[in-house]
Amino acid sequence: MLIIKNLYVKIKNNLIIKKLNLKINKGEIHILMGPNGSGKSSLSYTITRKVNYNIYKGKIKFNNKLINKLNTYEVSKLGIFLSFQYPIEIYGITMFNFLKNLFKKNKNKYIKYIFKLCNKLDINKKYLNRYFNYGFSGGEKKKNEILQMLILKPKFSILDEIDSGLDIDSLKIIFNNIKYYIKKKKDSSFLIITHNTNIINYIKPNFIHILYNGKIIKTGNLHLLNKINKYGYKNIINF
Amino acid sequence: MINKIINFLKKKKKNNFLNFVLKKIIKLKKKYLYNKYSKINNIINKKYNFFLKKNYKNKIKIKYKKDINILFLNGFFYKKKIINKNKYIKIKNEIFNNFKKNININNYNIFSYLNIIYSILNKEKSIFIFIKKKKKIKLNLFFIYNNLCSIFTNIKIFIFLEEKCYLEINEKYFIKKKKIYILNNLLINIFLNKKCKVIYFRNSKKNNYFNSINNIYIYQKKKSNFILYDIFLKEKFTLNNVYINFLGNNSLSRIYNIVLANKKQIIENNIIIYNKKNNCNSKQYYIGIFNNRSYGIINGLIKINKETKNNISFQNYKNFILSNKVFFYSKPQLNIFSNNVKCSHGLTIGQIDKNIIFYLQTRSINTKNSKLIFFLSILLKLMYNKYIISMCKIKKIKKLNKKIINKLKKIC
């Protein structure tokens, strides 16, 4: 589904990603970990083609289509979704109006569908009349991100620190919904960026990658998480 | 042009009033460029016909609305039509000299003096509207232009309100001939008595050859409210001067400006508020979005007298610049001579928040629509304002907002 080959990314003459290779097949869940400032979020921004994140060398292919020269809108139209670490607030536009515009088909049935999803995510329906993310707590904002994902139904989703700032109950709700989405749409794949090693309690990934200094230095399975827990990033990097 | 008028006046036989005005014009001549960035000179130095004949007839069908309808054709008073006739409204079409005692013209600006002189020399009459106690009235002003040559028009309207009146003013423009320059110098004076409420909508539908200078003077007495809702969308050039005088305690004013400019539009705003009494409250909100080669100026001044107390004044100007060729200048000012006041001014000039656009794009919203959402989120605060909603029908506000959204689509 997503193939990244020999990727070099520059922001104003600073190389932030160096020789990165990654392959994510259909239906796979990948977890991306690494110390702070290693380039995890930058990678997500490059895949979604944020301005100023210039691809200096290399290729990014999604469903055999080169997305190097596409813009963010075109990439999202292909079916790539990015949930933000710090979702923005929009004053003046209500949640309901915003979500309504995300529907592409079945515009008549959206009200029922939004209410159904709100029940699943344990979002109070009163929030739909509030301004988009305005005055929401961290957890509510993250739930809103998943709500948008469930409406947009992307083929590939990047979840940037979706578990940060959440209590245990909310964590369970969010990952249950992700599981529900995977069950419903088996082709969909995920790249989850996280610092939380307990994530295996909620979801079972296929691969775990460690990113350091703009490079993937290690790829493994669940055992790698145990190592990180035991030795920390520093020892793994030096090893 | 101003020099020509001064020379013309010097040759004329003088009376006391003309002498006074002449002195004022000479004094204000240097000042009339409010700041060095103003483009008024380019507009005023074009060739206009001053004294147009009144032979024209109106062929545009107009839907008359409730209460007072006043039509101006090519700058002259043409017709008045009062629906729901009652004794509480008096409209007089008289020479300015008859009423000059009632009006304080010491603090006028140069364009207002020019307007008065024009009417005296041309023996043209002005409109005086008197509204009696406790009446709710709507006033519709229609400005129709079907002239065949470029003209300079001077219109004067004086409105006197008695106690506890409510007045809604609407302006509408009909311009038939395109590609003919028009410069309209409008002078409006509104005198609000105790507990009066006035809301003034200025959503003009003008073409690209229409230039206007608006001078609005408001005199407010005890517990009176004045709201000005200005939308600048299509005009080629406007110089908008608003003067608010608080002459009574506990008076309130709100000024909302929305400026959406593109191509080569020039929009200049000067808003001056004099606080002469206690417990007065004034707020200004200005949102400007400029694209292409548009040109914008906003100057605000709040003056607070020495012996006043508990006055609250607030200026908030937000501006967005979408192209490298835009020129924008702003100068918010406070002149405070009293200790017991609450005043603040805020000005921002910037570009679109790229992070918001990126966020919206990742939700498969295209660039144009995401810009629209961004600006709407800012404009909605003014578009559905509590004060405006409380004073008029929502249908009307929705109509106005449609116009704003249509223009926004062109700019984004």
Side-chain angles (χ1 to χ4, degrees):
Chain A
M1 185 173 257
L2 182 84
I3 299 166
I4 300 174
K5 264 186 185 177
N6 247 344
L7 186 73
Y8 287 79
V9 178
K10 263 185 179 181
I11 302 177
K12 290 177 187 172
N13 293 330
N14 291 329
L15 259 178
I16 48 160
I17 285 171
K18 299 156 199 166
K19 212 181 180 183
L20 189 136
N21 291 300
L22 185 68
K23 192 180 177 185
I24 299 172
N25 294 321
K26 280 181 183 175
E28 282 183 355
I29 299 169
H30 289 237
I31 284 181
L32 190 65
M33 299 182 96
N36 296 331
S38 55
K40 301 184 293 297
S41 294
S42 301
L43 178 63
S44 71
Y45 292 151
T46 0
I47 294 169
T48 46
R49 303 305 304 117
K50 192 177 181 181
V51 188
N52 294 337
Y53 286 74
N54 301 318
I55 297 175
Y56 170 62
K57 246 186 192 181
K59 284 176 185 173
I60 306 176
K61 277 185 176 178
F62 182 73
N63 282 342
N64 290 328
K65 197 179 178 186
L66 198 71
I67 59 169
N68 281 23
K69 286 180 181 175
L70 299 184
N71 63 28
T72 312
Y73 169 65
E74 289 163 340
V75 167
S76 73
K77 273 266 168 186
L78 289 175
I80 298 176
F81 175 83
L82 170 67
S83 99
F84 281 62
Q85 193 179 347
Y86 306 108
I88 54 144
E89 295 176 354
I90 306 174
Y91 183 90
I93 286 165
T94 58
M95 275 268 289
F96 191 80
N97 276 336
F98 185 85
L99 295 173
K100 195 174 83 180
N101 287 318
L102 297 183
F103 282 87
K104 289 157 199 165
K105 291 170 189 174
N106 295 332
K107 285 205 169 185
N108 300 324
K109 294 177 183 174
Y110 64 84
I111 300 172
K112 273 187 182 178
Y113 192 66
I114 289 172
F115 283 161
K116 192 183 154 189
L117 292 176
C118 282
N119 280 336
K120 272 192 172 178
L121 279 161
D122 198 23
I123 296 173
N124 195 337
K125 281 170 196 168
K126 282 180 186 172
Y127 284 21
L128 293 172
N129 291 326
R130 279 169 62 173
Y131 294 135
F132 188 79
N133 279 342
Y134 195 77
F136 284 25
S137 72
E140 283 158 353
K141 280 179 186 172
K142 292 282 160 80
K143 277 182 184 174
N144 191 8
E145 295 287 288
I146 298 298
L147 178 64
Q148 289 170 52
M149 188 191 85
L150 294 175
I151 290 169
L152 285 168
K153 295 174 185 168
K155 291 170 189 167
F156 173 64
S157 329
I158 305 166
L159 309 179
D160 194 355
E161 298 201 18
I162 196 74
D163 49 357
S164 64
L166 288 175
D167 61 75
I168 296 170
D169 294 333
S170 306
L171 253 178
K172 272 183 189 172
I173 290 167
I174 278 185
F175 281 105
N176 281 339
N177 276 287
I178 292 170
K179 276 180 199 170
Y180 160 79
Y181 181 69
I182 293 165
K183 253 190 186 179
K184 227 182 163 187
K185 207 176 178 184
K186 285 175 184 173
D187 287 355
S188 60
S189 41
F190 284 84
L191 177 67
I192 300 171
I193 298 167
T194 183
H195 288 292
N196 185 3
T197 48
N198 295 328
I199 200 164
I200 9 162
N201 299 335
Y202 306 102
I203 204 161
K204 283 181 183 169
N206 301 83
F207 294 98
I208 291 156
H209 310 280
I210 294 175
L211 192 77
Y212 177 70
N213 230 350
K215 268 183 192 176
I216 289 181
I217 51 160
K218 217 152 215 184
T219 303
N221 49 19
L222 296 176
H223 297 294
L224 191 62
L225 277 180
N226 294 331
K227 271 188 185 176
I228 295 167
N229 266 340
K230 261 189 181 179
Y231 307 113
Y233 290 121
K234 264 191 182 176
N235 290 325
I236 292 171
I237 291 158
N238 294 331
F239 185 75
Chain B
M1 188 185 82
I2 290 167
N3 285 335
K4 273 184 186 176
I5 290 168
I6 291 169
N7 289 334
F8 182 75
L9 278 175
K10 279 178 181 172
K11 287 173 191 171
K12 266 232 149 193
K13 280 182 184 176
K14 289 168 203 170
N15 59 26
N16 283 339
F17 183 69
L18 269 182
N19 235 346
F20 167 77
V21 176
L22 181 66
K23 272 181 190 174
K24 281 276 183 187
I25 288 178
I26 292 165
K27 207 179 176 186
L28 287 168
K29 198 186 134 192
K30 285 175 193 170
K31 247 189 177 183
Y32 90 94
L33 280 176
Y34 288 94
N35 55 60
K36 58 183 174 181
Y37 302 109
S38 177
K39 289 229 172 186
I40 182 73
N41 255 341
N42 300 355
I43 304 298
I44 233 169
N45 287 337
K46 274 177 188 160
K47 282 186 179 175
Y48 297 101
N49 282 333
F50 269 92
F51 303 110
L52 200 75
K53 287 175 185 174
K54 292 180 184 178
N55 295 336
Y56 290 95
K57 279 188 179 176
N58 176 35
K59 286 176 183 174
I60 298 168
K61 281 186 180 177
I62 287 166
K63 281 182 184 176
Y64 293 111
K65 288 176 184 174
K66 254 190 179 180
D67 299 324
I68 313 171
N69 298 287
I70 296 176
L71 271 71
F72 293 93
L73 182 66
N74 298 331
F76 297 109
F77 170 72
Y78 182 67
K79 206 177 185 182
K80 67 181 175 191
K81 186 148 193 175
I82 304 171
I83 299 167
N84 300 337
K85 273 189 181 178
N86 57 43
K87 298 170 191 171
Y88 307 108
I89 309 163
K90 265 187 190 176
I91 300 175
K92 286 184 180 178
N93 189 18
E94 286 194 32
I95 302 164
F96 178 77
N97 277 357
N98 295 352
F99 283 93
K100 72 184 178 196
K101 282 176 190 172
N102 300 351
I103 300 153
N104 176 19
I105 61 163
N106 285 332
N107 293 324
Y108 271 11
N109 66 11
I110 191 161
F111 302 108
S112 312
Y113 285 124
L114 283 178
N115 198 319
I116 290 167
I117 279 188
Y118 175 85
S119 72
I120 293 167
L121 295 178
N122 207 18
K123 290 174 187 171
E124 194 211 324
K125 291 171 180 176
S126 325
I127 297 290
F128 295 87
I129 300 167
F130 300 89
I131 297 165
K132 287 202 171 178
K133 269 182 186 178
K134 295 178 186 177
K135 287 290 137 191
K136 255 192 174 185
I137 279 157
K138 281 182 188 175
L139 169 65
N140 302 303
L141 302 171
F142 297 97
F143 300 95
I144 305 160
Y145 291 92
N146 60 3
N147 50 313
L148 296 167
C149 55
S150 57
I151 50 168
F152 179 79
T153 60
N154 291 277
I155 297 171
K156 284 161 293 306
I157 300 164
F158 299 89
I159 301 168
F160 299 89
L161 299 165
E162 283 190 6
E163 284 173 27
K164 294 179 187 176
C165 281
Y166 170 87
L167 179 68
E168 184 185 315
I169 308 171
N170 296 301
E171 270 186 19
K172 274 200 173 179
Y173 286 81
F174 299 91
I175 300 156
K176 213 180 178 189
K177 300 280 177 196
K178 287 174 184 175
K179 295 186 179 178
I180 288 173
Y181 280 99
I182 301 163
L183 176 59
N184 182 28
N185 186 9
L186 181 67
L187 170 64
I188 293 183
N189 283 29
I190 305 173
F191 301 87
L192 285 87
N193 229 315
K194 278 178 194 173
K195 294 182 183 177
C196 276
K197 281 185 181 180
V198 174
I199 183 160
Y200 193 162
F201 288 102
R202 305 188 59 231
N203 61 320
S204 44
K205 195 183 175 186
K206 298 163 189 173
N207 74 353
N208 280 340
Y209 290 82
F210 192 91
N211 310 304
S212 65
I213 302 166
N214 303 316
N215 307 300
I216 301 169
Y217 295 85
I218 311 294
Y219 302 92
Q220 287 184 244
K221 285 198 173 172
K222 248 187 184 182
K223 292 181 183 176
S224 57
N225 289 3
F226 175 76
I227 295 174
L228 178 66
Y229 189 54
D230 252 347
I231 308 170
F232 300 94
L233 304 177
K234 284 187 176 176
E235 36 277 274
K236 166 110 207 260
F237 171 87
T238 40
L239 170 61
N240 192 33
N241 301 314
V242 180
Y243 301 87
I244 291 179
N245 296 287
F246 290 128
L247 304 177
N249 296 336
N250 297 315
S251 39
L252 178 142
S253 80
R254 295 278 181 275
I255 298 170
Y256 305 106
N257 285 322
I258 294 176
V259 179
L260 308 179
N262 64 346
K263 291 178 185 170
K264 286 182 180 176
Q265 281 179 260
I266 303 166
I267 292 165
E268 301 178 10
N269 268 293
N270 299 304
I271 301 165
I272 299 168
I273 294 170
Y274 296 100
N275 287 272
K276 291 172 183 171
K277 293 284 169 172
N278 303 332
N279 297 321
C280 297
N281 189 329
S282 71
K283 283 182 184 174
Q284 302 169 37
Y285 293 96
Y286 177 99
I287 294 178
I289 301 167
F290 297 89
N291 202 351
N292 303 351
R293 288 187 170 189
S294 52
Y295 197 98
I297 293 174
I298 167 77
N299 293 320
L301 171 62
I302 295 169
K303 276 187 175 180
I304 293 178
N305 277 11
K306 237 183 186 181
E307 292 151 0
T308 57
K309 281 175 188 174
N310 299 328
N311 284 320
I312 298 171
S313 277
F314 180 61
Q315 292 172 324
N316 188 357
Y317 306 149
K318 270 185 189 175
N319 298 288
F320 296 92
I321 287 164
L322 309 183
S323 123
N324 292 335
K325 288 171 184 170
V326 169
F327 177 90
F328 183 79
Y329 177 81
S330 180
K331 199 176 177 187
Q333 281 176 290
L334 303 172
N335 280 357
I336 303 168
F337 298 103
S338 163
N339 290 326
N340 196 357
V341 290
K342 202 173 168 183
C343 286
S344 73
H345 57 141
L347 164 74
T348 55
I349 306 170
Q351 294 174 333
I352 304 173
D353 189 345
K354 282 176 185 169
N355 287 330
I356 292 179
I357 301 298
F358 174 62
Y359 182 90
L360 294 170
Q361 281 178 332
T362 57
R363 269 65 187 154
S364 13
I365 298 167
N366 62 26
T367 319
K368 197 179 173 182
N369 283 344
S370 43
K371 277 182 188 174
L372 226 147
I373 289 173
F374 172 74
F375 286 127
L376 271 179
S377 70
I378 291 156
L379 287 171
L380 275 171
K381 255 187 194 177
L382 295 197
M383 282 158 75
Y384 288 100
N385 193 282
K386 276 180 197 172
Y387 275 96
I388 299 166
I389 286 172
S390 68
M391 285 179 83
C392 69
K393 287 178 183 172
I394 291 180
K395 258 191 184 178
K396 186 176 183 162
I397 295 163
K398 278 185 179 173
K399 258 190 182 180
L400 289 179
N401 292 347
K402 260 191 185 177
K403 282 181 188 173
I404 295 170
I405 291 164
N406 286 339
K407 175 78 184 193
L408 249 185
K409 279 178 187 170
K410 282 180 189 172
I411 284 185
C412 291

